[in-house]
Amino acid sequence: MDLNAQVKKACFLQRLKDFPSKLKDGVTKRIKHVQKFGKDDPRRIIHSIKVGLSLTLVSMLYYVRPLYNSFGVSGMWAILTVVVVSEFTVGGTLSKGLNRAFATLIAGALGVGAVHLARLCGHKGEPIVLGILVFSLGAAATFSRFFPRIKQRYDYGALIFILTFSMVAVSGYRTDEILVIAYQRLSTILIGGTICILVSIFVFPVWAGEDLHKMVANNIIKLANSLEGFEGEYFPSSEKTSKGTNSSVREYKSINLTSKSTEDTLANLARWEPGHGRFRLRHPWTKYLKIAGLVRQCAIHFEVLNGCVLSDAKAPQDFISKIQEPCSIISREAGEALKAIAKSIKTMSRYHVCVNTHIKNSKNAIENLRLALKVSFPETDKDLLEIIPVVTMASTLIDIVSYVEKISESVDEFSVLAHFKENLDPKLSPELGQHHLLHKGTVKPVLEGDNEEECNNSPHVVIAVHDEQPPTVNENNVNLGAEKTTVVVV
């Protein structure tokens, strides 16, 4: 027993001795975690400071005597408003602030009207009328919160309406100064909401629309990187394989396949925001949701490609070598198309000619791939089983190109509504392609003699440049295009 007691005492003393160092390590670890959390997104720190600033400003309703004499204890409603209305983004603050303001105004007016109506029914009938009105409007407002459109945009307003109407109607039964109370509460709520909105907009604003814009563009870039990494992972070679290939091919995994709720929330909040920067007042925020949905569907196919890369079942090397080139072209061109689409969204410029060129190259490679599969199709069932994983990979690449084309079409539609800048590349334009010269001409030597030898040895030449004018068609469908010729003797 004495030995056990000594052991317990020694353990206790050791723990007591180690406590300061463990406490220091724990505090240091927490501080580093907080620092990392703040560095990941410094806007979190700025938002915290903005909320503190708003609370300090509305506290003046209590600290300044003239303001306190005007509003009294109702100044607490301004502080409560700041706490519940302050959101991380401008759209979130505007959404809650405007919902709270209008809901308080409407509910306060109806509450005062309900009190006056109930008093007309006499002292005994007043509580009955008030009870019926509170039940009816409270139940109706609660039921309205189940409608998807109201749930999405006005749910907080409906909640504040129920709260304000019930408080005004019930408290009006025991007090005669119902108008004064309603005025003070409405005024302080408007003051608190206004301060929150002004601080949110003018002090380092965080725009929900900008976050949504960057999220969609970055997700498309991740798909492009995954496609480019797939070529070096599935068809390894000394030139293509690198240390970053393994990580880039799985970049699609960082796209949250269940992020639809986040995108819906950002799009909804962005609709509350005023025009800012490159985004106009009536910016088509809902189009981002369509593009993001196609990106998520495309990312699902990358999981199949990843399974093909990790699969132990490998097809014969001679069969893989026959389809390697078209598959590489498909992945490379589709990746370049996705990068051009992401650049178009980021810069809000139209690169549809470049995108369409890459998609067309991908489709040409798909035809070559189908031809290679037909030519190399095995004759025996055993060989057929061996190439199934490769055929699955090829089919998945074809599906991905189809989704890339759909994404491109959605972005083109979105670019028209969002008034993207036109950014044509003459080298990739079908009208002004690489193999189409802007001018045609002929070069002939100047004749200085009667025989051919003297003509060829002449130091002078005649250069005739034919400047083609763009064709125009009149009302009678007659081509009015002209050709302008310039002759220069050199």
Side-chain angles (χ1 to χ4, degrees):
M1 295 294 295
D2 294 338
L3 182 61
N4 292 336
Q6 289 179 359
V7 171
K8 290 181 179 179
K9 182 178 179 180
C11 293
F12 174 76
L13 292 176
Q14 185 64 33
R15 287 196 299 268
L16 190 63
K17 182 179 179 180
D18 296 339
F19 177 76
S21 60
K22 289 183 178 180
L23 178 62
K24 181 181 177 181
D25 294 341
V27 172
T28 304
K29 183 179 179 181
R30 295 292 184 274
I31 292 175
K32 289 182 179 180
H33 178 71
V34 172
Q35 288 178 343
K36 182 180 180 301
F37 191 72
K39 287 181 180 179
D40 290 342
D41 192 352
R43 299 180 302 174
R44 296 166 179 164
I45 301 175
I46 296 175
H47 173 67
S48 303
I49 296 173
K50 287 162 63 176
V51 174
L53 175 62
S54 301
L55 287 172
T56 302
L57 292 176
V58 297
S59 299
M60 297 300 172
L61 295 176
Y62 256 70
Y63 299 152
V64 179
R65 174 59 64 177
L67 294 176
Y68 180 79
N69 293 336
S70 300
F71 299 105
V73 295
S74 295
M76 281 296 178
W77 286 96
I79 297 176
L80 178 63
T81 300
V82 169
V83 173
V84 299
V85 166
S86 295
E87 290 291 330
F88 183 68
T89 61
V90 174
T93 303
L94 278 171
S95 173
K96 278 196 169 183
L98 295 177
N99 267 288
R100 186 176 181 86
F102 283 106
T104 302
L105 178 62
I106 296 172
L110 290 177
V112 172
V115 170
H116 284 283
L117 178 63
R119 287 177 180 175
L120 297 177
C121 299
H123 183 69
K124 292 184 178 180
E126 183 177 357
I128 298 175
V129 174
L130 286 176
I132 294 174
L133 291 175
V134 169
F135 169 80
S136 302
L137 288 178
T142 302
F143 180 73
S144 68
R145 297 177 64 191
F146 290 103
F147 289 93
R149 180 176 176 81
I150 295 178
K151 182 75 174 177
Q152 184 182 25
R153 303 194 66 186
Y154 309 109
D155 185 67
Y156 182 70
L159 180 65
I160 296 300
F161 175 86
I162 298 169
L163 175 65
T164 304
F165 176 79
S166 302
M167 292 182 65
V168 172
V170 173
S171 61
Y173 180 70
R174 295 295 183 183
T175 180
D176 295 330
E177 298 180 350
I178 184 65
L179 284 176
V180 176
I181 296 175
Y183 166 75
Q184 289 179 344
R185 290 183 180 177
L186 178 61
S187 301
T188 53
I189 288 173
L190 291 177
I191 291 172
T194 302
I195 289 176
C196 279
I197 291 173
L198 293 178
V199 170
S200 179
I201 293 177
F202 295 106
V203 181
F204 299 103
V206 177
W207 304 100
E210 205 166 300
D211 287 351
L212 178 63
H213 185 85
K214 292 179 180 178
M215 177 189 294
V216 173
N218 289 336
N219 286 345
I220 295 176
I221 290 178
K222 291 173 184 176
L223 292 183
N225 293 337
S226 297
L227 264 181
E228 290 185 346
F230 166 77
E231 178 186 356
E233 188 77 7
Y234 197 84
F235 304 108
S237 65
S238 57
E239 297 179 355
K240 298 176 183 176
T241 305
S242 62
K243 294 181 180 179
T245 302
N246 191 44
S247 59
S248 63
V249 76
R250 293 173 180 83
E251 278 194 28
Y252 74 94
K253 287 183 176 291
S254 60
I255 301 175
N256 189 359
L257 301 181
T258 59
S259 62
K260 186 178 185 302
S261 59
T262 303
E263 293 161 354
D264 288 341
T265 301
L266 287 175
N268 178 46
L269 297 180
R271 294 168 67 183
W272 288 92
E273 295 175 347
H276 56 281
R278 301 174 295 172
F279 309 105
R280 304 188 179 191
L281 181 61
R282 303 290 295 178
H283 193 73
W285 299 110
T286 53
K287 293 298 179 182
Y288 286 97
L289 300 180
K290 181 179 179 181
I291 299 172
L294 291 173
V295 170
R296 286 196 304 273
Q297 294 175 24
C298 185
I300 294 175
H301 288 74
F302 280 74
E303 193 66 41
V304 180
L305 282 183
N306 189 41
C308 295
V309 171
L310 300 177
S311 176
D312 295 331
K314 299 296 182 181
Q317 189 61 38
D318 58 339
F319 181 81
I320 294 179
S321 61
K322 293 178 181 178
I323 67 168
Q324 177 176 351
E325 183 178 354
C327 288
S328 299
I329 295 175
I330 292 173
S331 61
R332 194 182 312 120
E333 293 293 334
E336 290 296 329
L338 286 172
K339 284 187 175 181
I341 292 171
K343 183 179 179 181
S344 175
I345 295 176
K346 276 190 171 182
T347 61
M348 297 190 73
S349 303
R350 301 188 68 186
Y351 291 92
H352 59 284
V353 175
C354 177
V355 174
N356 292 339
T357 301
H358 289 301
I359 292 177
K360 183 178 179 181
N361 293 339
S362 299
K363 289 183 176 180
N364 292 337
I366 288 175
E367 295 300 324
N368 295 336
L369 175 62
R370 287 173 175 166
L371 181 61
L373 289 174
K374 289 180 180 178
V375 172
S376 308
F377 200 79
E379 298 179 357
T380 63
D381 294 340
K382 180 181 178 181
D383 295 336
L384 179 61
L385 292 175
E386 290 180 347
I387 69 167
I388 284 179
V390 182
V391 174
T392 302
M393 176 272 296
S395 175
T396 305
L397 278 178
I398 295 174
D399 290 339
I400 288 176
V401 172
S402 175
Y403 274 104
V404 171
E405 188 174 11
K406 291 179 182 179
I407 293 172
S408 174
E409 292 173 355
S410 298
V411 172
D412 281 343
E413 180 184 353
F414 165 66
S415 65
V416 174
L417 297 176
H419 305 285
F420 279 19
K421 296 181 298 181
E422 191 70 29
N423 196 339
L424 287 175
D425 188 352
K427 294 182 180 180
L428 294 176
S429 175
E431 294 80 13
L432 303 174
Q434 283 181 304
H435 306 290
H436 184 81
L437 297 176
L438 295 177
H439 306 281
K440 295 189 298 184
T442 58
V443 179
K444 295 182 179 179
V446 176
L447 300 177
E448 293 185 351
D450 295 335
N451 56 47
E452 184 178 353
E453 183 178 355
E454 293 181 355
C455 293
N456 294 335
N457 295 331
S458 174
H460 303 287
V461 294
V462 176
I463 302 175
V465 180
H466 309 289
D467 188 1
E468 291 186 342
Q469 303 296 325
T472 56
V473 180
N474 65 359
E475 296 179 354
N476 298 324
N477 294 328
V478 179
N479 189 349
L480 301 180
E483 187 178 89
K484 182 180 177 181
T485 304
T486 303
V487 179
V488 181
V489 179
V490 182

